[in-house]
Each structure stands twice: as C-alpha cells, then as structure tokens.
Amino acid sequence: MLSKAKTQEAIRIMGEMFPDAHGELVHRNSFELLIAVILSAQATDVGVNKATPALFAAYPTPEALAQAPLEDVMAKIKTIGLYRNKAKNIKNCAQMLLDDFGGTVPHTREELMRLPGVGRKTANVVLGDAFGVPAIAVDTHVERVSKRLRICKQSASVLEVEETLMKKLPESIWVDAHHRMIFFGRYYCLARAPKCEGCPLLYMCQDGQKRLGIKQAK
C-alpha cells in the first residue's frame, strides 16, 4: 500500500501534469451542475455537454423543469444513456427542490442524497464544485488510479476508496485531488491502454512496472 506521504506526492505530480484539472461538465450555477451530474451517470461528460444546452435553455430553473412535459425532457436528452429514467429523475429532483428546499440546491451530502438520481458520488461533485465543500467523488477514473497506484486495497469498495483517500490526503486538497486523479485517469492512465512508459509516477506504480516487465525490488 502506498504511504500517506507517497500518496500526497503522487497527487502533487498529477497536479504538475494537469495544472488546470477541473470539472468538465458545463454549467452556470449549482442547479445546472446538479442536473448535469445526474445525467452523467454511465455517460461521458462530452455527451452530457452536447445535450444540456438545449435542456437548460428550455428549462433553466427548478420550476420550469418540474413543470416540463416528460416526453419533451426525454427528447432533449435522448442522446444520453438511460435517458428515460434520467428524465424522470431530473423532473422529480426539480420538484423536490421546490417542495423541500425552497427551490435551491442543498449544501449538505445528506440532503443532496435525498434527491432522485443523486448518490454519494453525485453529491460529492456538487459539494466540491458548486459550494467548495471538501469532498472526494470516486468515479471510475479515481477508483482505477487509486487501485493501480496501490493507494487502497484492490478489493476496496467505492466507499472504502473514498475513505482511504480522505485519510491519506489533507482536507484542503480533496477537491483538487479528485480533479487531478480524473484527468490523470481520463487522459493518461487509461483503462485499456495506460501510458506507463514515460509516466512520471512509474517509479511508485507496481502495476505499471509489472506491465512493462520491470523487475520490482523485494
């Protein structure tokens, strides 16, 4: 397992590789971010960003989206996977924002997770990117990078990955670390063809060394 110091070193190097790492879902406010993150489940940010301009132009507020015809919402997001269920979720989410939160996006994980279509990862993204609340959202990239670098156990659940990262990283860099790991996983440490050769983290990555046939010191 990578030590706390080495984990922080890895995140620092990722920051040097991707100094502008940031959330790539296009949004103008916390409501749009919330909806975009719900839509991004099992979909790419690129795909979501293609669909949301028309959606947000037609339904820019919780009131407008809650009252929108379901068929029209579906039509605007039909290029996104699972669009039927997601259309229902975002309409119901908008209605709950009105009914329970005065039409505003709540600022706590517990309240966010009450909303339809919102799990812990989505809540953490909204907390970090919309409100600057320290949080680490574990998506497929963060999980893959954490396990390849042996920051956490290979058998760790998504929640265990999050908890391990929270223990090994100072709270002040949780949001930045989340974005750096996503960029590193999305553009460098890819699922099928990681760029191990020449990787600045190869010296601490057992997985990469194994892929390249580098004999590891006992």
Side-chain angles (χ1 to χ4, degrees):
M1 294 276 283
L2 215 59
S3 68
K4 183 182 288 189
K6 282 290 185 185
T7 299
Q8 294 178 24
E9 185 178 327
I11 298 301
R12 177 183 58 75
I13 292 171
M14 289 179 204
E16 293 171 354
M17 296 172 71
F18 301 101
D20 298 319
H22 61 280
E24 294 187 297
L25 289 170
V26 177
H27 63 283
R28 294 171 296 185
N29 51 54
S30 58
F31 170 66
E32 289 189 358
L33 177 62
L34 172 63
I35 298 304
V37 182
I38 292 173
L39 295 178
S40 72
Q42 299 181 52
T44 66
D45 289 358
V46 171
V48 173
N49 288 338
K50 288 179 180 176
T52 50
L55 178 71
F56 294 148
Y59 310 115
T61 64
E63 291 87 350
L65 183 55
Q67 294 168 14
L70 181 59
E71 292 299 325
D72 193 50
V73 176
M74 286 185 184
K76 285 181 167 52
I77 64 169
K78 64 183 178 182
T79 56
I80 301 174
L82 307 174
Y83 73 94
R84 290 183 178 84
N85 281 336
K86 288 178 180 178
K88 293 174 186 174
N89 279 338
I90 62 174
K91 259 183 64 67
N92 291 335
C93 176
Q95 187 63 57
M96 185 177 281
L97 288 177
L98 296 173
D99 294 343
D100 294 4
F101 301 105
T104 62
V105 178
H107 287 51
T108 69
R109 182 182 293 110
E110 292 72 22
E111 289 174 319
L112 283 165
M113 288 178 66
R114 285 174 51 198
L115 298 168
V118 177
R120 189 178 179 92
K121 185 195 80 172
T122 297
N124 284 347
V125 172
V126 174
L127 289 174
D129 288 358
F131 305 126
V133 176
I136 297 174
V138 179
D139 69 352
T140 55
H141 301 296
V142 173
E143 181 177 8
R144 181 173 68 256
V145 169
S146 295
K147 291 183 176 180
R148 280 184 175 168
L149 285 172
R150 306 294 193 270
I151 291 172
C152 63
K153 296 177 181 177
Q154 299 302 296
S155 60
S157 65
V158 170
L159 180 58
E160 288 169 339
V161 173
E162 180 186 336
E163 291 172 341
T164 301
L165 288 168
M166 289 166 68
K167 287 175 185 174
K168 293 188 174 183
L169 299 173
E171 189 176 289
S172 59
I173 70 165
W174 285 356
V175 176
D176 285 341
H178 151 76
H179 288 307
R180 292 173 187 179
M181 293 180 81
I182 288 176
F183 267 55
F184 182 67
R186 183 177 287 161
Y187 303 114
Y188 209 92
C189 191
L190 289 73
R192 294 183 181 176
K195 303 173 184 178
C196 299
E197 196 166 348
C199 177
L201 295 176
L202 181 60
Y203 72 97
M204 68 169 75
C205 181
Q206 291 182 30
D207 190 90
Q209 292 171 23
K210 197 175 294 181
R211 285 172 188 271
L212 295 179
I214 299 172
K215 199 168 184 179
Q216 299 171 27
K218 291 183 179 179

